[in-house]
């Protein structure tokens, strides 16, 4: 009878959720009355005074006629009281859940209407690991061999590895992804879409990594930076819309075609020979190899040595000349870095005077390269080719990054 149903709805329940594995993102809560299933009235009615249990790595929400009215992400037992204004316990989920809560309609008291649909849902807030990815098509990746001379190559990079993610806003996930699911929502229902979005975001993320001068084989050592770039690219679809954020990104395989790898090696070797001292050393090594080859040929040894002498004479550039050129350049560099101490008048070449310890005076318009640390004056660093940071941000000689006229670390004025 109707009277019996109403009476049975007065039994208090205890809502709980079994341990959530990595395959389940959301599951509907189970109710126990302690009196047997025959005492339970309407499955979609939560009796006033019922207990909601929340375990570590879980977040529980109460949905009343499709409206999220309670959120609890802190471990413990909570008493359901439909006579008070709903509350929120966001635990370690933080400000994201609070902001989503504020965007909901004005809070209301539950009242006592039995013509309601009330449910408890539990969400998995643990880090969801072992999500494999791989690029079906290569990603263009710029390799910078020498910025100043414009030695740049575009390589076809293939990347594979694993990533992990975590639910940080169950309200958004429920509202935009899995609302009104009868029992559970599993990861395989959304991960194909997430993987496609991650691979789409990977190209602009790696482009910004390449712009920092990071080589493709160095990417594993910069996985945190790649993750941050991916987070920026995915924030709209993952964080702002679904309440999910990427936690880790671990590329295990990064490859480019063998012919491109060979070309990179050739360009790197060519860039090295632009230094006269390095060029001289390579010439000495090449001559030594040629001499050993000529000496091993009994019939052509004399002709071989004569040919080597003719080539050196025609080229006009001996190892001795190159060594002299390198020494001259080194001396010019040292002289350019030399300065006169205004306190004691001694010549110095470092940041401080070796005689009295006075600091080297700042050069007007100079800036400290954030990549190699050298103080330069142009728009590009003459040491590594890094572009001068935007005017809004500058790096002090002490290493601190600033945006105002004075360094927040040491008080030095912007040059």
């Amino acid at each position: 009878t109707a009277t019996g149903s109403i009476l049975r709805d007065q039994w208090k329940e205890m809502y709980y959720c079994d341990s959530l594995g990595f395959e389940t993102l959301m599951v509907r809560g189970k109710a126990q009355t302690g009196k047997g299933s025959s005492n339970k009235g309407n499955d979609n009615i939560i009796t006033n005074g019922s207990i909601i249990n929340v375990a570590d790595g879980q977040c529980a929400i109460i949905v009343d006629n499709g409206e999220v009215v309670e959120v609890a992400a802190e471990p413990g037992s909570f008493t359901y009281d439909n006579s008070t204004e709903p509350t929120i316990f966001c635990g370690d989920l933080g400000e994201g859940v609070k902001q989503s809560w504020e965007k909901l309609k004005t809070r209301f008291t539950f009242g006592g209407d039995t013509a309601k649909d009330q449910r408890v849902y539990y969400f998995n807030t643990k880090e969801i690991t072992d999500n494999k990815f791989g690029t079906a098509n290569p990603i263009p990746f710029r390799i910078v061999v020498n910025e100043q001379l414009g030695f740049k190559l575009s390589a076809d990079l293939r990347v594979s590895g694993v990533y992990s993610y975590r639910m940080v806003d169950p309200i958004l996930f429920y509202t935009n992804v899995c609302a009104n699911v009868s029992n559970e929502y599993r990861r395989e229902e959304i991960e194909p879409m997430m993987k496609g979005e991650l691979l789409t975001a990977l190209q602009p993320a790696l482009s910004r990594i390449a712009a920092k001068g990071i080589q493709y084989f160095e990417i594993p050592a910069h996985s945190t930076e790649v993750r941050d770039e991916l987070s920026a690219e995915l924030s709209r679809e993952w964080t702002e819309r679904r309440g999910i954020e990427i936690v880790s990104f671990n590329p295990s395989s990064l490859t480019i075609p063998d012919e491109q790898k060979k070309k990179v090696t050739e360009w790197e070797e060519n860039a090295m020979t632009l230094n006269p001292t390095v060029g001289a050393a390579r010439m000495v090594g090449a001559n030594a190899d040629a001499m050993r080859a000529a000496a091993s040929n009994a019939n052509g040894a004399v002709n071989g040595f004569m040919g080597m002498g003719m080539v050196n004479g025609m080229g006009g550039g001996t190892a001795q000349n190159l060594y002299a050129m390198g020494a001259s350049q080194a001396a010019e560099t040292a002289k350019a870095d030399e300065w006169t101490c205004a306190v004691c008048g001694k010549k110095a070449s470092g940041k401080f005077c070796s005689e009295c310890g006075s600091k080297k005076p700042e050069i007007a318009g100079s800036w400290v390269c954030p990549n190699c640390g050298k103080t330069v004056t142009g728009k590009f660093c003459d040491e590594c080719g890094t572009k001068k940071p935007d005017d809004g941000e500058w790096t002090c000689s002490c290493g601190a990054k600033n945006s105002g006229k004075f360094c927040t670390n040491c008080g030095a004025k912007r040059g």
Side-chain angles (χ1 to χ4, degrees), residues 140-155:
F141 188 84
R142 189 183 68 168
I143 299 176
V144 179
V145 179
N146 188 298
E147 182 75 38
Q148 291 176 286
L149 299 177
F151 283 13
K152 303 174 185 177
L153 292 173
S154 181

Side-chain angles (χ1 to χ4, degrees), residues 77-111:
S77 296
F78 302 89
T79 302
Y80 173 79
D81 186 352
N82 64 14
S83 65
T84 61
E85 185 179 351
T87 56
I88 178 171
F89 300 94
C90 61
D92 65 347
L93 297 184
E95 291 299 323
V97 177
K98 291 182 180 179
Q99 293 174 5
S100 296
W101 181 258
E102 294 299 326
K103 292 178 182 178
L104 294 176
K105 296 180 180 179
T106 304
R107 296 181 180 185
F108 56 89
T109 55
F110 293 121

Side-chain angles (χ1 to χ4, degrees), residues 5-193:
S5 176
I6 293 174
L7 289 176
R8 285 192 297 270
D9 282 336
Q10 306 311 306
W11 291 105
K12 296 179 181 180
E13 303 96 3
M14 181 186 72
Y15 284 86
Y16 72 100
C17 174
D18 293 328
S19 177
L20 290 175
F22 290 114
E23 301 304 318
T24 304
L25 299 181
M26 187 203 76
V27 67
R28 185 174 176 179
K30 300 176 182 179
Q32 286 183 341
T33 64
K35 297 290 185 179
S37 60
S38 61
N39 290 328
K40 185 68 180 78
N42 193 331
D43 285 338
N44 291 344
I45 296 297
I46 303 174
T47 307
N48 189 34
S50 295
I51 301 298
I52 311 295
N53 289 326
V54 181
D56 284 323
Q58 296 179 358
C59 173
I61 69 171
I62 297 177
V63 178
D64 188 308
N65 287 339
E67 182 81 23
V68 177
V69 293
E70 289 280 3
V71 179
E74 297 177 358
S77 296
F78 302 89
T79 302
Y80 173 79
D81 186 352
N82 64 14
S83 65
T84 61
E85 185 179 351
T87 56
I88 178 171
F89 300 94
C90 61
D92 65 347
L93 297 184
E95 291 299 323
V97 177
K98 291 182 180 179
Q99 293 174 5
S100 296
W101 181 258
E102 294 299 326
K103 292 178 182 178
L104 294 176
K105 296 180 180 179
T106 304
R107 296 181 180 185
F108 56 89
T109 55
F110 293 121
D113 187 5
T114 56
K116 286 178 176 264
D117 183 273
Q118 298 170 328
R119 304 182 183 186
V120 179
Y121 288 108
Y122 288 88
F123 294 82
N124 191 344
T125 58
K126 296 190 292 288
E127 181 180 357
I128 308 300
T129 59
D130 198 31
N131 302 282
K132 296 179 175 61
F133 73 91
T135 53
N137 299 311
I139 297 176
F141 188 84
R142 189 183 68 168
I143 299 176
V144 179
V145 179
N146 188 298
E147 182 75 38
Q148 291 176 286
L149 299 177
F151 283 13
K152 303 174 185 177
L153 292 173
S154 181
D156 297 326
L157 180 64
R158 292 185 180 273
V159 188
S160 63
V162 295
Y163 69 94
S164 67
Y165 62 89
R166 177 173 177 256
M167 192 182 304
V168 294
D169 195 332
I171 296 176
L172 285 178
F173 193 82
Y174 174 81
T175 304
N176 297 325
V177 179
C178 61
N180 202 32
V181 170
S182 59
N183 186 25
E184 67 176 6
Y185 190 91
R186 298 175 64 81
R187 64 191 288 183
E188 63 260 23
E189 298 181 56
I190 192 173
E191 282 185 356
M193 180 181 295

